[in-house]
């Protein structure tokens, strides 16, 4: 894939697709991670005398302009982050085409105010492309979507991968392209949303550690009484067949051996052996013995990939299982004994909350795209750059 670093950008109008779909509450940005990550590439382009048009979506507009989803507020955010540069706002493609003649830096209004964006519409992509001369995809986290600004636009302009996007792909590719011992940790709530993930991992990983509510399906399929714990009734056969397939492929599936249980969240909890759960109780986290068991597996691995928390981490003490396992992984990573990767919305939130994110080798903020990559799917936005 061609990198934007390999092409002459001076005096060129560059359209850069970034992910500024920032987490917000009441109109305020609550996490700047994605925003901050876009700055170095934009600075690089400006320093090399390019003209830059920033494009992104925000939220899910219902098919037209919505004031609270306008990207206009980002003008000030960029002014504070990009030194010595005037940034202009363009409220339409036509407006952008005019303004980029006189300005070096523009941000275009929310792409999704135009319903054609999500339809991967060639006509819309062509109009979008007419603003610039080169296209850069710097939004790995949006690259699992076949949308005009990700996919169709590459048909009309010379297209390149941004530094961030290439970095993410390099990091993820290196996980599978070696003979090292690989352990996947899969948790979270719903097995039905992660069937493709588990099936794909069976073929790539030496071990799959299963925790969270995800594990309940497997425990129940093994005839263990899980009381009132969350599980999916119509998934028990699936869980069974995943375990059989894993056995055939020499992939170890490791399940919890004890649990933190309570009648309800917020009520008294206790820690019991997995065979001693009674019918009024629910599993809300893995227990200490399980943390030790999972840690041992991790200690004997070279690479760990983690998606989905081990318990209801939003309600302490049911964050302990996730936190203790994360601490162990952080320790091994800091010692240089382990490559550790985590990705997905909730596990990243859990690691942030426990202040352990910087001790992992790599954290992917690209929820859906990260998962589809792990599932072995080809991402339309990445394919389009080839
Ligand atoms: P990710 O976003 O990392 O992919 P998921 O969205 O699949 O993770 O799952 C996260 C959710 O799973 C969290 O809200 C967490 O509370 C829930 N969860 C984890 N373990 C349990 C459990 N034992 N019972 C009920 N919910 C659980
Ligand atoms: Mg989630």
């Amino acid at each position: 894939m061609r990198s934007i670093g390999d092409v002459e950008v001076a005096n060129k109008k560059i359209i850069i697709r970034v992910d500024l779909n920032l987490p917000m509450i009441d109109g305020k940005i609550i996490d700047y991670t994605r925003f901050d990550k876009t700055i170095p590439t934009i600075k690089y382009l400006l320093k090399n005398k390019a003209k830059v048009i920033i494009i992104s979506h925000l939220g899910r507009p219902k098919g037209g302009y919505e004031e609270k989803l306008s990207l206009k507020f980002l003008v000030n955010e960029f002014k504070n982050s990009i030194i010595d540069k005037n940034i202009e706002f363009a409220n339409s493609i036509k407006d952008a085409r005019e303004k980029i003649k006189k300005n070096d830096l523009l941000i275009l209004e929310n792409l999704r105010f135009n319903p054609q964006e999500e339809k991967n519409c060639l006509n819309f992509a062509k109009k979008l492309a007419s603003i610039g001369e080169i296209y850069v995809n710097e939004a790995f986290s949006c690259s699992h979507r076949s949308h005009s600004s990700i996919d169709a636009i590459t048909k009309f302009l010379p297209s390149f991968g941004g530094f961030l996007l290439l970095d993410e792909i390099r990091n993820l590719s290196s996980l599978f392209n070696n003979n090292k011992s690989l352990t996947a940790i899969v948790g979270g709530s719903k097995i039905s949303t992660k069937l493709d993930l588990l099936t794909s991992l069976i073929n790539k990983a030496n071990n799959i550690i299963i925790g969270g509510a995800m594990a309940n399906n497997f425990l129940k399929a093994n005839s263990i009484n899980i009381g009132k714990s969350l599980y999916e009734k119509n998934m028990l056969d699936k869980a069974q067949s995943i375990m059989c397939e894993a056995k055939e492929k020499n992939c170890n599936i490791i399940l919890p051996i004890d649990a933190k249980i309570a009648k309800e969240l917020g009520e008294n909890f206790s820690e019991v052996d997995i065979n001693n759960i009674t019918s009024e109780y629910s599993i809300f986290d893995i227990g200490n013995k399980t943390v030790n068991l999972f840690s041992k597996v991790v200690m004997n691995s070279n690479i760990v990939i983690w998606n989905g928390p081990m318990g209801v981490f939003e309600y302490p003490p049911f964050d302990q299982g996730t936190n203790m396992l994360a601490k162990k992984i952080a320790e091994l990573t800091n010692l240089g004994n382990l490559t550790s990767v985590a990705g997905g919305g909730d596990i990243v939130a859990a690691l942030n909350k426990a202040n352990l994110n910087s001790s992992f080798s790599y954290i992917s903020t690209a929820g859906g795209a990260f998962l589809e990559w792990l599932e072995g799917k080809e991402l339309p936005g990445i394919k389009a750059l080839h």
Side-chain angles (χ1 to χ4, degrees):
M1 194 185 302
R2 297 186 297 171
S3 159
I4 188 60
D6 299 335
V7 66
E8 182 58 65
V9 296
N11 304 315
K12 288 265 166 38
K13 289 178 266 179
I14 317 254
I15 299 177
I16 180 166
R17 173 57 156 109
V18 292
D19 184 1
L20 292 173
N21 186 31
L22 306 171
M24 309 224 295
I25 291 177
D26 297 331
K28 280 204 108 154
I29 302 172
I30 52 165
D31 183 351
Y32 276 83
T33 314
R34 281 181 179 162
F35 179 84
D36 292 341
K37 280 183 160 191
T38 65
I39 301 298
T41 310
I42 295 170
K43 275 193 173 159
Y44 166 88
L45 293 172
L46 293 171
K47 198 169 151 237
N48 286 281
K49 310 240 158 5
K51 283 173 170 263
V52 180
I53 303 109
I54 303 167
I55 61 173
S56 176
H57 77 280
L58 173 64
R60 296 177 184 273
K62 292 178 188 71
Y65 179 80
E66 284 174 43
E67 194 179 348
K68 63 180 194 307
L69 293 178
S70 172
L71 288 183
K72 195 161 186 186
F73 77 103
L74 286 175
V75 167
N76 274 328
E77 301 287 346
F78 275 112
K79 271 193 182 143
N80 296 332
S81 305
I82 295 181
I83 310 140
D84 274 349
K85 279 289 165 186
N86 295 318
I87 173 162
E88 280 289 327
F89 182 73
N91 55 29
S92 69
I93 290 177
K94 192 162 160 259
D95 191 25
R97 232 186 274 128
E98 281 309 308
K99 283 190 173 145
I100 199 62
K101 290 179 189 158
K102 295 197 198 82
N103 298 279
D104 289 341
L105 184 58
L106 281 189
I107 174 160
L108 178 65
E109 183 58 288
N110 189 347
L111 290 164
R112 288 194 187 167
F113 286 167
N114 195 318
Q116 292 170 320
E117 157 65 2
E118 289 176 79
K119 297 187 178 127
N120 204 26
C121 168
L122 284 174
N123 244 330
F124 178 64
K126 192 173 177 182
K127 266 193 227 156
L128 201 53
S130 73
I131 306 170
E133 297 157 286
I134 287 177
Y135 167 77
V136 182
N137 182 346
E138 191 61 301
F140 179 81
S141 49
C142 305
S143 293
H144 59 312
R145 308 266 184 230
S146 243
H147 291 173
S148 302
S149 66
I150 292 285
D151 185 359
I153 191 169
T154 62
K155 301 207 166 30
F156 303 102
L157 289 176
S159 301
F160 299 87
F163 299 123
L164 259 182
L165 174 129
L166 292 168
D167 208 42
E168 182 114 23
I169 292 175
R170 218 171 298 138
N171 274 312
L172 293 180
S173 305
S174 66
L175 298 176
F176 295 141
N177 301 335
N178 57 60
N179 299 317
K180 299 197 174 139
S181 159
L182 178 72
T183 293
I185 306 175
V186 184
S189 49
K190 284 175 89 184
I191 179 174
S192 54
T193 59
K194 294 189 183 174
L195 286 175
D196 287 347
L197 176 67
L198 291 167
T199 313
S200 155
L201 288 174
I202 285 173
N203 293 302
K204 294 177 177 129
N206 304 77
N207 309 296
I208 304 180
I209 288 173
I210 302 183
M214 172 82 57
N216 298 342
N217 300 279
F218 292 85
L219 294 168
K220 186 150 178 95
N222 284 343
S223 308
I224 286 170
N225 181 9
I226 58 166
K228 288 196 307 178
S229 304
L230 184 68
Y231 78 103
E232 289 173 87
K233 280 195 181 65
N234 51 358
M235 285 292 138
L236 296 181
D237 287 349
K238 275 275 180 239
Q240 197 58 259
S241 68
I242 286 172
M243 287 188 278
C244 290
E245 201 186 329
K247 206 170 215 163
E248 269 170 39
K249 306 225 160 114
N250 277 326
C251 170
N252 303 309
I253 294 212
I254 299 121
L255 297 173
I257 50 172
D258 66 344
K260 278 196 182 65
I261 58 169
K263 286 189 174 163
E264 304 282 346
L265 283 170
E267 289 191 17
N268 289 343
F269 74 96
S270 55
E271 200 158 309
V272 297
D273 192 273
I274 210 71
N275 294 306
N276 292 338
I277 297 167
T278 44
S279 50
E280 338 64 284
Y281 286 85
S282 291
I283 301 173
F284 289 126
D285 195 11
I286 55 174
N288 269 309
K289 286 185 194 151
T290 305
V291 171
N292 289 336
L293 170 71
F294 289 179
S295 299
K296 269 197 197 118
V297 177
V298 168
M299 262 188 295
N300 290 315
S301 312
N302 303 115
I303 301 172
V304 165
I305 302 175
W306 189 348
N307 169 256
M310 296 291 98
V312 188
F313 73 97
E314 299 94 331
Y315 296 90
F318 304 118
D319 56 347
Q320 282 176 4
T322 303
N323 291 350
M324 288 193 296
L325 185 59
K327 261 200 191 117
K328 187 77 211 172
I329 292 175
E331 242 172 69
L332 293 166
T333 308
N334 286 334
L335 287 171
N337 295 341
L338 186 69
T339 301
S340 51
V341 177
D346 288 289
I347 186 61
V348 174
L351 294 177
N352 280 341
K353 208 174 143 205
N355 248 323
L356 288 167
N357 46 356
S358 59
S359 296
F360 274 60
S361 314
Y362 182 61
I363 302 269
S364 175
T365 51
F370 172 78
L371 284 179
E372 289 197 21
W373 175 278
L374 288 188
E375 288 162 10
K377 293 187 180 142
E378 192 169 38
L379 309 186
I382 306 304
K383 189 179 172 204
L385 293 176
H386 280 104

